[in-house]
Amino acid sequence: MENWRFFRKRAPNAVVAAVVKADAYGLGAVAASRALAKAGARTFFTATVGEALLVRKALGEGPQIFVLNGPSVEDVADFAAAALTPILNSMAQIQMWAGRGPAGLHIDTGMNRLGVGPEELAPAMTALKGAALDLVMSHLACGADVKHEMNAVQLKRFADAATLFPKAPLSLAATAGALIGPDYHFDLIRPGVGLYGSGGLDADNPALAAAATIEAPILQVRDVNAGETFGYGATFAAPKKMRTATVAMGYADGYLRALGGRGYGVLGGAKRPILGRISMDLIIIDVTGCAEAQPGARVEFLGPGAPLDEVAALAGTASYEILTTFAGTVRKTGVRG
Ligand SMILES: *Cc1c(COP(=O)(O)O)cnc(C)c1O
């Protein structure tokens, strides 16, 4: 995985873990975990126990798998059975896990989502009774905006809280945090979306390798006269004589309807604008003057020619949503090693 190695170079003194939650952001947790392990990743994060059990099966014994959402009464036994390491996010989880083995601890430094707050740190330490902590972590609320003042505030809070745990490895940064700079790296970074081709920043993303390609075949090619309209709502009229292609891709496949009239497909090495609205299973693109436009030819909607961060910006959403909305479609296309 080229992108895992990108983070390896960015953070040469930190462990580069791999976040594979949400089925590796829709790419398929089994294939992605194997590709990442092959590249050298030895530490993985999932959101849930169910995901972690799949990843354990895919990778076998050895790699450490942290479960970000932590244990619940129902699944606490699964952790031991598959040698999973919970991240403890609350006093209740700390008490539930007491005496069961190594864990990670999530400290909230300003996101107010998961984690024990600063005022809970003293009771948390008492409840942990000296149990081994394999990780002490927190999560940035505003990492996507590298200049946001909240980043430095959270960095300071985390560094202060971490002094209570002098032996534990520390982790603050996900993809965006890892890009802010080395102050944010600590002992371990936790990139997710960066592994799958997005810098995770609001602007000025680094060019990461496309980890998934979404393509669909042309079903029909049509010659259309000036003034004719396309698709539902007849929202686009041909300004001149045009050649168009109807492609077997739609919002039911995960191609967001918001990209109607804004997105593009790539064919013959060029971007071919989407004309009018996107249907459930069909998209119309402008292929005027494109010799490659023949029934059966494959049009790329996400991949090296249609970068994830660019598609996300055109759709007015985050790269995370583009990937997870494509989910099953991405899996059909596969993960690059
Ligand atoms: C999802 C998540 C990550 C990975 O985030 P990216 O922005 O995809 O790199 C890391 N840490 C936590 C706690 C997360 O929830």
Side-chain angles (χ1 to χ4, degrees):
M1 253 257 197
E2 205 176 322
N3 293 332
W4 188 83
R5 288 187 286 269
F6 169 90
F7 287 97
R8 173 74 284 145
K9 281 197 201 110
R10 273 285 169 130
N13 301 317
V15 169
V16 181
V19 178
V20 293
K21 66 189 179 190
D23 209 16
Y25 294 46
L27 273 77
V30 168
S33 301
R34 286 190 181 139
L36 287 156
K38 212 169 142 210
R42 303 293 293 156
T43 309
F44 294 79
F45 286 83
T46 67
T48 66
V49 184
E51 294 170 340
L53 291 172
L54 269 179
V55 174
R56 173 63 76 213
K57 217 168 151 198
L59 299 181
E61 285 172 30
Q64 183 161 34
I65 305 173
F66 286 103
V67 178
L68 286 166
N69 288 0
S72 69
V73 177
E74 292 79 33
D75 59 28
V76 78
D78 292 329
F79 280 86
L84 309 174
T85 315
I87 298 291
L88 306 175
N89 295 293
S90 63
M91 288 304 295
Q93 286 188 335
I94 291 170
Q95 279 147 8
M96 185 193 308
W97 190 255
R100 289 179 186 270
L105 177 68
H106 190 155
I107 298 174
D108 177 50
T109 54
M111 194 154 177
N112 276 306
R113 192 175 68 168
L114 290 176
V116 296
E119 70 292 344
E120 287 174 315
L121 281 178
M125 288 184 70
T126 310
L128 284 162
K129 297 191 196 99
L133 283 178
D134 285 358
L135 195 69
V136 168
M137 61 164 276
S138 191
H139 195 49
L140 295 173
C142 304
D145 179 358
V146 296
K147 298 219 170 68
H148 201 291
E149 59 191 24
M150 184 96 171
N151 294 326
V153 170
Q154 287 192 265
L155 176 65
K156 167 111 182 37
R157 285 184 190 151
F158 183 62
D160 288 349
T163 58
L164 296 171
F165 307 93
K167 289 202 195 114
L170 305 177
S171 176
L172 178 61
T175 297
L179 296 174
I180 300 176
D183 289 356
Y184 289 78
H185 292 170
F186 293 92
D187 300 306
L188 179 147
I189 60 170
R190 311 185 305 269
V193 81
L195 303 172
Y196 313 116
S198 163
L201 304 178
D202 293 340
D204 302 323
N205 278 294
L208 292 162
T213 301
I214 302 281
E215 291 178 343
I218 293 178
L219 298 176
Q220 282 194 6
V221 175
R222 305 171 78 90
D223 288 301
V224 179
N225 290 318
E228 290 199 54
T229 57
F230 301 91
Y232 286 120
T235 56
F236 180 85
K240 55 179 172 47
K241 210 169 173 327
M242 294 176 92
R243 175 164 285 193
T244 66
T246 306
V247 187
M249 167 68 69
Y251 57 80
D253 302 300
Y255 198 82
L256 294 182
R257 195 168 172 278
L259 285 159
R262 317 175 65 122
Y264 59 86
V266 177
L267 182 65
K271 294 176 179 176
R272 314 287 171 185
I274 290 171
L275 305 176
R277 286 190 188 153
I278 288 159
S279 303
M280 189 179 285
D281 306 285
L282 299 167
I283 282 176
I284 303 166
I285 58 171
D286 179 2
V287 292
T288 308
C290 173
E292 290 85 352
Q294 301 292 338
R298 296 184 74 80
V299 180
E300 177 188 326
F301 291 96
L302 188 73
L308 178 53
D309 284 319
E310 193 179 315
V311 174
L314 287 171
T317 186
S319 52
Y320 304 79
E321 193 184 23
I322 298 288
L323 281 180
T324 53
T325 308
F326 268 126
T329 312
V330 183
R331 256 174 279 142
K332 275 180 238 153
T333 318
V335 182
R336 298 194 179 178

